[in-house]
Amino acid sequence: MSISLEGCKSHSVNLSALGLIKCIRDFVPFYTLLSIFIGFVKPQFDYCSLVWDCCSTSLAEKLQKLQNLAARILLSAPYDSSATDLFRRLHWKNLRNQRLFAKAIVMFKILNGETPDYLSNKFIFRNDTTSYRLRNSEVRLALPQPRTDYVCKSFSYSGAALWNSLPTDIRVSKTLGEFKTKLSNFSFERTNHTVSLKSSTFVFIYFHSNK
């Protein structure tokens, strides 16, 4: 089943659920509404996000508008209120940052031997590809130049690109708890993690020019 079809199904399910929440919000406490959202709507945003993370921009924007709508409904905020302010009040990340956060955690587990071999075998540390000690290569992954957008959108490429975009002090975390704590304070808006062929080629050049 295509990513677009799955995204459309998620959009329809979430829109219906949010409509129900809006209907009952004047009759139940806020934390009950929030529990309903966490139980019925949020899983639709999170399910298999590692697989469809590299979806089209139009689909990502459509899903983000749903999260914006959810915040406005839960807080009974006007339609034109700032989603960023509402997310801050709810202690939420936007969907893009949620997906990148989840992918970074999986990458940490993979690179620290906490997942099956078939996942860890997809990645090679940059220092393992040469006999020379490369500058600024600590705990970085080898990132081959992609030839197609299909490769750019694969987990083996996008995961490695995301990992390399993290600061060294986060990548060298000793435990998963330490990694999550540092990652929570990191802004993914500063990363060069992209999925298009044109921008991915830039990422390749950027990282390899800093060896």
Side-chain angles (χ1 to χ4, degrees):
M1 189 173 292
S2 69
I3 292 177
S4 296
L5 181 55
E6 284 295 323
C8 290
K9 289 173 61 179
S10 175
H11 182 275
S12 299
V13 171
N14 284 346
L15 192 58
S16 299
L18 290 175
L20 291 174
I21 292 175
K22 185 176 181 180
C23 289
I24 65 172
R25 68 181 177 184
D26 294 331
F27 308 101
V28 297
F30 167 75
Y31 287 105
T32 300
L33 292 177
L34 189 59
S35 295
I36 295 173
F37 170 82
I38 293 173
F40 294 96
V41 179
K42 191 175 185 298
Q44 300 293 327
F45 289 136
D46 298 338
Y47 182 69
C48 289
S49 64
L50 293 181
V51 176
W52 60 267
D53 170 47
C54 298
C55 62
S56 66
T57 300
S58 60
L59 179 55
E61 290 177 349
K62 183 180 293 186
L63 292 172
Q64 185 55 57
K65 287 179 180 179
L66 270 181
Q67 190 194 31
N68 298 350
L69 176 61
R72 294 185 178 109
I73 289 175
L74 288 172
L75 296 174
S76 299
Y79 182 77
D80 59 353
S81 55
S82 169
T84 301
D85 292 339
L86 299 180
F87 290 173
R88 187 178 298 112
R89 290 171 59 186
L90 291 166
H91 304 289
W92 286 2
K93 295 181 175 65
N94 64 37
L95 293 183
R96 174 183 179 272
N97 286 348
Q98 284 185 28
R99 295 194 296 270
L100 293 180
F101 186 87
K103 180 178 286 189
I105 289 174
V106 172
M107 288 300 301
F108 178 88
K109 291 180 178 180
I110 290 173
L111 299 178
N112 285 274
E114 299 181 21
T115 60
D117 290 342
Y118 76 86
L119 287 174
S120 58
N121 290 340
K122 293 180 178 292
F123 303 97
I124 302 174
F125 285 107
R126 184 179 293 179
N127 280 338
D128 293 341
T129 64
T130 177
S131 58
Y132 296 98
R133 185 68 176 177
L134 301 175
R135 178 173 62 87
N136 197 31
S137 63
E138 292 82 359
V139 204
R140 287 187 183 274
L141 297 172
L143 192 66
Q145 185 173 14
R147 297 182 180 278
T148 65
D149 276 341
Y150 180 80
V151 174
C152 296
K153 294 178 180 180
S154 68
F155 177 71
S156 57
Y157 181 87
S158 63
L162 173 61
W163 180 261
N164 286 353
S165 72
L166 299 176
T168 301
D169 70 301
I170 295 181
R171 296 197 308 271
V172 299
S173 298
K174 299 300 183 182
T175 66
L176 181 59
E178 178 187 356
F179 181 78
K180 287 182 177 180
T181 299
K182 292 180 178 179
L183 194 63
S184 296
N185 298 320
F186 176 69
S187 173
F188 286 104
E189 304 302 328
R190 302 199 303 265
T191 68
N192 288 316
H193 172 66
T194 54
V195 295
S196 69
L197 179 59
K198 180 179 179 181
S199 54
S200 292
T201 302
F202 167 77
V203 172
F204 171 84
I205 295 172
Y206 173 81
F207 285 126
H208 283 68
S209 67
N210 282 279
K211 287 183 177 181

